[in-house]
Amino acid sequence: MKPLSPTSWAARSMAGLLVFPLLPVEASTDNPSLAPAPPMGFNNWARFECDLNETLFTETAQAMRKRGLLDVGYDRLTLDDCWMLHDRADDGSLEWDTNKFPQGIPWLADYMKNEGFHLGIYQDSGNLTCGGYTGSYGHEAQDAELFASWGIDYLKLDGCNVWAEEGRSLREEYHVRYMQWHDVLNALPVPLIFSNSAPAYFEGEAADWAVVMDWVPESSELARHSADVIVYSSNGSAWDSIMYNYDMHARLARYQQPGYYNDPDFLIPDHPSLSQNEKKSQFALWASIGAPLILSAYVPGLSDEEIAFLSNKALIAVNQDPLGQQSALVSRDGTFDVLSRSLENGDRLLTVLNRGADAATTTVSLARLGLSSQSSCKYDARDLLTDEVSTIDSAIEIQLDSHVAKVYRIALPESCTKTTPTGMVFNTPSGLCMTASTDSVTFEKCSASDSQVWHVAATGDGTKLTLSPLSDTSVCLAAGDGVSLAKCQGGTGATWDHYISGHLRSSSGNCLTQSKDKASIEECVIDNVGQIFGLPSGVRLGKGRLN
Ligand SMILES: *[C@@H]1O[C@H](CO)[C@@H](O)[C@H](O)[C@H]1NC(C)=O
Ligand SMILES: *[C@@H]1O[C@H](CO)[C@@H](O)[C@H](O)[C@H]1NC(C)=O
Ligand SMILES: *[C@@H]1O[C@H](CO)[C@@H](O)[C@H](O)[C@H]1NC(C)=O
């Protein structure tokens, strides 16, 4: 297929679906140094919604400083919606609500700076904010310059009240607007950190969601990808809300890279419906997957125990690890989720979550961690919540109470430093796991069997992948007329390119496709949700994306 220029959008239409060429474009952010690690701090929304004011922010900053949160890295306080007046001033500029901010926002930004913090702010890319205040549409550069002049260095840009201009789809409209904001923010003498909300508006439409995610890492430092986490005033289950956002997050591991972070929304350690275990688990999970750590809680009212687990330096170090990987699923069986990723110093991270209603035990083998299981290789695994170290010979057994997460940092001995990306290969829209059987490949409910855990190895120049199930590592996923398992060595059609869009393309030029429980090989189509796959963490992306 002849590649089009990167700016050319639609290639041709077939059977009502758009078919796109695969383009040689590396996903990258312009300014990786703007956010070398996931942002940490406070935002008022989930705890206080529109009831924000100067006192809340100064009291919160004082509490964060006195209680040690600033020292461990929580250094950003961001105003959410409802800080402004409903109408713009005569010259078109935004004005803060002087009842809420009597000394003004520039004063507050200065106060934060003197206390060692940064102040962030909220706007919306549409005509109105979600709370009905004036949006930024048509005032982008004016608003950005105003924020910068106030001493603000972080913008959360929501996406309520956006209507598509004639000739554009809604997803194209968000692309245009958020890239425009990216350009506006980057043109400032000191660019603002950009928190993008566009994907959250497409979470219910798998194809649109993926297409929006494909450009998001180029536009911003972080992006809210799905629903708002539950607010304090709601009587719903906060654990269900946390699990919903975590599950959406787990589908997006491939997008994360140093300088760009998927954002599953706030830590909510004082939500009244959470047990102490659930609060700790949210923090352990968010830290280990590499999510922004932004508290939405009444910080002066948090218990000492809550402050202590939120200040766990070993978990925060993992969260801020410069390799910037997101943990990806190794296996899932309805009770246990097992995730892993690598860290910059070569250590391997293991996260295990018991989602079930009862205490239960699971075992994770070295092979599932992508580590060598030669008898000479013994690994020290540090439990980052208790600081206890245990030695892994061949597998680690983990017993967990209901809704408890554990995180282990595993050191690799000098002669055993090789790691292989290992884990689930799953269709992210359906959640079904690619499953190997003797002579076929199917898609089934995830059950954590060895036939659903894949070793993914780079071959040759490093952009071609092979995929072998742990149940028989001598065979590889292969594409001919259909999808099968073939001897890895010399097998034809057994290498694959992987794209940021989630497509796995065989050397024939066609893509792995899931429909119901069947695996097939079909023309690569960006809107075919059966072609979007999640892979283990650490798999290098092929050079390109569906554009
Ligand atoms: C500021 O906001 C907090 C949290 O909503 C509220 O409890 C407090 O009464 C407010 N203070 C002022 C001075 O408005
Ligand atoms: C949104 O704002 C733009 C620019 O001010 C205006 O042209 C448009 O009519 C507004 N759309 C709606 C639906 O209010
Ligand atoms: C939550 O529950 C309380 C008492 O059961 C009730 O008064 C209140 O209206 C409920 N709030 C919401 C948002 O459902």
Short mmCIF file of all heavy atoms in Angstrom, two decimals, residues 322-351:
data_model
loop_
_atom_site.label_atom_id
_atom_site.label_comp_id
_atom_site.label_asym_id
_atom_site.label_seq_id
_atom_site.Cartn_x
_atom_site.Cartn_y
_atom_site.Cartn_z
N PRO A 322 11.43 6.82 35.82
CA PRO A 322 11.68 7.50 34.53
C PRO A 322 11.40 6.66 33.29
O PRO A 322 11.23 7.23 32.20
CB PRO A 322 13.18 7.84 34.59
CG PRO A 322 13.59 7.66 36.01
CD PRO A 322 12.63 6.73 36.65
N LEU A 323 11.34 5.34 33.41
CA LEU A 323 11.02 4.55 32.22
C LEU A 323 9.57 4.83 31.76
O LEU A 323 9.25 4.64 30.60
CB LEU A 323 11.22 3.06 32.53
CG LEU A 323 11.44 2.11 31.37
CD1 LEU A 323 12.59 2.55 30.49
CD2 LEU A 323 11.67 0.69 31.89
N GLY A 324 8.73 5.25 32.70
CA GLY A 324 7.39 5.73 32.33
C GLY A 324 6.45 4.66 31.81
O GLY A 324 5.47 4.97 31.13
N GLN A 325 6.72 3.39 32.08
CA GLN A 325 5.82 2.34 31.57
C GLN A 325 4.55 2.29 32.41
O GLN A 325 4.55 2.64 33.59
CB GLN A 325 6.50 0.97 31.64
CG GLN A 325 7.58 0.78 30.60
CD GLN A 325 8.09 -0.65 30.54
OE1 GLN A 325 7.67 -1.54 31.30
NE2 GLN A 325 9.03 -0.89 29.65
N GLN A 326 3.48 1.83 31.79
CA GLN A 326 2.26 1.50 32.53
C GLN A 326 2.23 0.00 32.73
O GLN A 326 2.54 -0.76 31.82
CB GLN A 326 1.03 1.96 31.73
CG GLN A 326 -0.28 1.62 32.40
CD GLN A 326 -1.48 2.19 31.67
OE1 GLN A 326 -1.45 3.31 31.18
NE2 GLN A 326 -2.55 1.41 31.59
N SER A 327 1.87 -0.46 33.92
CA SER A 327 1.73 -1.90 34.13
C SER A 327 0.63 -2.43 33.21
O SER A 327 -0.40 -1.78 33.03
CB SER A 327 1.32 -2.20 35.58
OG SER A 327 2.34 -1.84 36.46
N ALA A 328 0.86 -3.60 32.65
CA ALA A 328 -0.15 -4.23 31.80
C ALA A 328 -0.54 -5.57 32.39
O ALA A 328 0.18 -6.15 33.20
CB ALA A 328 0.37 -4.39 30.37
N LEU A 329 -1.69 -6.07 31.95
CA LEU A 329 -2.22 -7.32 32.51
C LEU A 329 -1.40 -8.52 32.07
O LEU A 329 -1.18 -8.74 30.88
CB LEU A 329 -3.67 -7.50 32.08
CG LEU A 329 -4.69 -6.61 32.80
CD1 LEU A 329 -5.99 -6.51 31.99
CD2 LEU A 329 -4.97 -7.14 34.21
N VAL A 330 -0.98 -9.30 33.05
CA VAL A 330 -0.36 -10.61 32.79
C VAL A 330 -1.46 -11.66 32.69
O VAL A 330 -1.44 -12.54 31.82
CB VAL A 330 0.61 -10.98 33.93
CG1 VAL A 330 1.10 -12.41 33.78
CG2 VAL A 330 1.77 -10.00 33.98
N SER A 331 -2.42 -11.56 33.60
CA SER A 331 -3.54 -12.50 33.58
C SER A 331 -4.69 -11.91 34.37
O SER A 331 -4.51 -10.96 35.15
CB SER A 331 -3.14 -13.84 34.20
OG SER A 331 -2.86 -13.66 35.58
N ARG A 332 -5.87 -12.52 34.16
CA ARG A 332 -7.09 -12.06 34.84
C ARG A 332 -8.01 -13.27 34.84
O ARG A 332 -8.13 -13.97 33.84
CB ARG A 332 -7.60 -10.87 34.03
CG ARG A 332 -9.07 -10.71 33.89
CD ARG A 332 -9.39 -9.39 33.18
NE ARG A 332 -9.14 -8.25 34.06
CZ ARG A 332 -9.37 -6.98 33.70
NH1 ARG A 332 -9.78 -6.68 32.48
NH2 ARG A 332 -9.15 -6.00 34.55
N ASP A 333 -8.60 -13.55 35.99
CA ASP A 333 -9.47 -14.74 36.07
C ASP A 333 -10.80 -14.46 36.76
O ASP A 333 -11.48 -15.37 37.21
CB ASP A 333 -8.73 -15.88 36.78
CG ASP A 333 -8.39 -15.53 38.23
OD1 ASP A 333 -8.87 -14.49 38.72
OD2 ASP A 333 -7.64 -16.30 38.85
N GLY A 334 -11.15 -13.18 36.90
CA GLY A 334 -12.41 -12.84 37.55
C GLY A 334 -12.21 -12.56 39.03
O GLY A 334 -12.99 -11.82 39.63
N THR A 335 -11.17 -13.14 39.63
CA THR A 335 -10.82 -12.82 41.02
C THR A 335 -9.54 -12.01 41.03
O THR A 335 -9.54 -10.86 41.47
CB THR A 335 -10.64 -14.11 41.84
OG1 THR A 335 -11.87 -14.84 41.82
CG2 THR A 335 -10.27 -13.79 43.29
N PHE A 336 -8.47 -12.60 40.52
CA PHE A 336 -7.18 -11.91 40.56
C PHE A 336 -6.86 -11.23 39.24
O PHE A 336 -6.96 -11.84 38.17
CB PHE A 336 -6.05 -12.91 40.87
CG PHE A 336 -6.03 -13.31 42.32
CD1 PHE A 336 -6.49 -14.56 42.71
CD2 PHE A 336 -5.58 -12.44 43.29
CE1 PHE A 336 -6.48 -14.93 44.05
CE2 PHE A 336 -5.57 -12.79 44.63
CZ PHE A 336 -6.02 -14.04 45.01
N ASP A 337 -6.40 -10.00 39.33
CA ASP A 337 -5.71 -9.34 38.23
C ASP A 337 -4.23 -9.36 38.59
O ASP A 337 -3.87 -8.99 39.71
CB ASP A 337 -6.15 -7.88 38.09
CG ASP A 337 -7.38 -7.72 37.20
OD1 ASP A 337 -7.99 -8.75 36.83
OD2 ASP A 337 -7.73 -6.56 36.90
N VAL A 338 -3.39 -9.77 37.65
CA VAL A 338 -1.94 -9.75 37.83
C VAL A 338 -1.38 -8.84 36.75
O VAL A 338 -1.73 -8.98 35.58
CB VAL A 338 -1.35 -11.17 37.70
CG1 VAL A 338 0.17 -11.15 37.79
CG2 VAL A 338 -1.95 -12.10 38.76
N LEU A 339 -0.55 -7.88 37.15
CA LEU A 339 0.04 -6.94 36.19
C LEU A 339 1.54 -6.86 36.39
O LEU A 339 2.04 -7.10 37.50
CB LEU A 339 -0.54 -5.53 36.37
CG LEU A 339 -2.06 -5.37 36.33
CD1 LEU A 339 -2.64 -5.32 37.73
CD2 LEU A 339 -2.46 -4.13 35.56
N SER A 340 2.26 -6.50 35.32
CA SER A 340 3.69 -6.27 35.50
C SER A 340 4.21 -5.22 34.54
O SER A 340 3.55 -4.85 33.56
CB SER A 340 4.49 -7.56 35.35
OG SER A 340 4.68 -7.86 33.99
N ARG A 341 5.39 -4.73 34.86
CA ARG A 341 6.09 -3.77 34.00
C ARG A 341 7.54 -3.77 34.46
O ARG A 341 7.88 -4.32 35.50
CB ARG A 341 5.50 -2.37 34.14
CG ARG A 341 5.80 -1.71 35.47
CD ARG A 341 4.97 -0.45 35.70
NE ARG A 341 5.75 0.75 35.63
CZ ARG A 341 5.58 1.80 36.47
NH1 ARG A 341 4.68 1.76 37.44
NH2 ARG A 341 6.31 2.87 36.35
N SER A 342 8.39 -3.11 33.68
CA SER A 342 9.79 -2.96 34.06
C SER A 342 10.04 -1.56 34.60
O SER A 342 9.28 -0.63 34.32
CB SER A 342 10.71 -3.21 32.86
OG SER A 342 10.75 -4.59 32.59
N LEU A 343 11.10 -1.43 35.37
CA LEU A 343 11.51 -0.14 35.93
C LEU A 343 12.87 0.22 35.35
O LEU A 343 13.58 -0.63 34.80
CB LEU A 343 11.56 -0.21 37.45
CG LEU A 343 10.20 -0.56 38.08
CD1 LEU A 343 10.34 -0.89 39.56
CD2 LEU A 343 9.22 0.60 37.89
N GLU A 344 13.24 1.49 35.51
CA GLU A 344 14.44 1.98 34.82
C GLU A 344 15.71 1.23 35.20
O GLU A 344 16.58 1.00 34.38
CB GLU A 344 14.63 3.47 35.09
CG GLU A 344 15.51 4.12 34.03
CD GLU A 344 16.14 5.40 34.51
OE1 GLU A 344 16.32 5.57 35.72
OE2 GLU A 344 16.49 6.23 33.65
N ASN A 345 15.82 0.82 36.46
CA ASN A 345 17.06 0.14 36.88
C ASN A 345 17.05 -1.35 36.52
O ASN A 345 17.93 -2.10 36.95
CB ASN A 345 17.28 0.32 38.39
CG ASN A 345 16.31 -0.51 39.21
OD1 ASN A 345 15.30 -1.00 38.67
ND2 ASN A 345 16.59 -0.68 40.48
N GLY A 346 16.04 -1.79 35.76
CA GLY A 346 15.97 -3.19 35.35
C GLY A 346 15.07 -4.03 36.23
O GLY A 346 14.73 -5.15 35.86
N ASP A 347 14.68 -3.52 37.41
CA ASP A 347 13.77 -4.28 38.27
C ASP A 347 12.44 -4.53 37.56
O ASP A 347 12.06 -3.79 36.64
CB ASP A 347 13.48 -3.52 39.57
CG ASP A 347 14.67 -3.50 40.53
OD1 ASP A 347 15.72 -4.07 40.19
OD2 ASP A 347 14.52 -2.89 41.61
N ARG A 348 11.77 -5.58 38.02
CA ARG A 348 10.46 -5.92 37.49
C ARG A 348 9.42 -5.60 38.56
O ARG A 348 9.67 -5.84 39.76
CB ARG A 348 10.47 -7.42 37.19
CG ARG A 348 9.49 -7.89 36.18
CD ARG A 348 9.89 -7.61 34.77
NE ARG A 348 8.92 -8.24 33.89
CZ ARG A 348 8.48 -7.71 32.75
NH1 ARG A 348 8.96 -6.57 32.33
NH2 ARG A 348 7.59 -8.35 32.03
N LEU A 349 8.29 -5.06 38.17
CA LEU A 349 7.24 -4.74 39.13
C LEU A 349 6.08 -5.72 38.95
O LEU A 349 5.67 -5.99 37.84
CB LEU A 349 6.73 -3.31 38.87
CG LEU A 349 5.89 -2.70 40.01
CD1 LEU A 349 6.78 -2.40 41.21
CD2 LEU A 349 5.20 -1.43 39.52
N LEU A 350 5.61 -6.27 40.07
CA LEU A 350 4.46 -7.19 40.05
C LEU A 350 3.36 -6.59 40.91
O LEU A 350 3.60 -6.22 42.06
CB LEU A 350 4.88 -8.55 40.63
CG LEU A 350 3.75 -9.51 41.03
CD1 LEU A 350 2.91 -9.93 39.83
CD2 LEU A 350 4.33 -10.75 41.74
N THR A 351 2.16 -6.48 40.35
CA THR A 351 1.00 -5.98 41.09
C THR A 351 -0.07 -7.06 41.04
O THR A 351 -0.35 -7.61 39.97
CB THR A 351 0.48 -4.69 40.44
OG1 THR A 351 1.54 -3.75 40.38
CG2 THR A 351 -0.68 -4.10 41.23
#
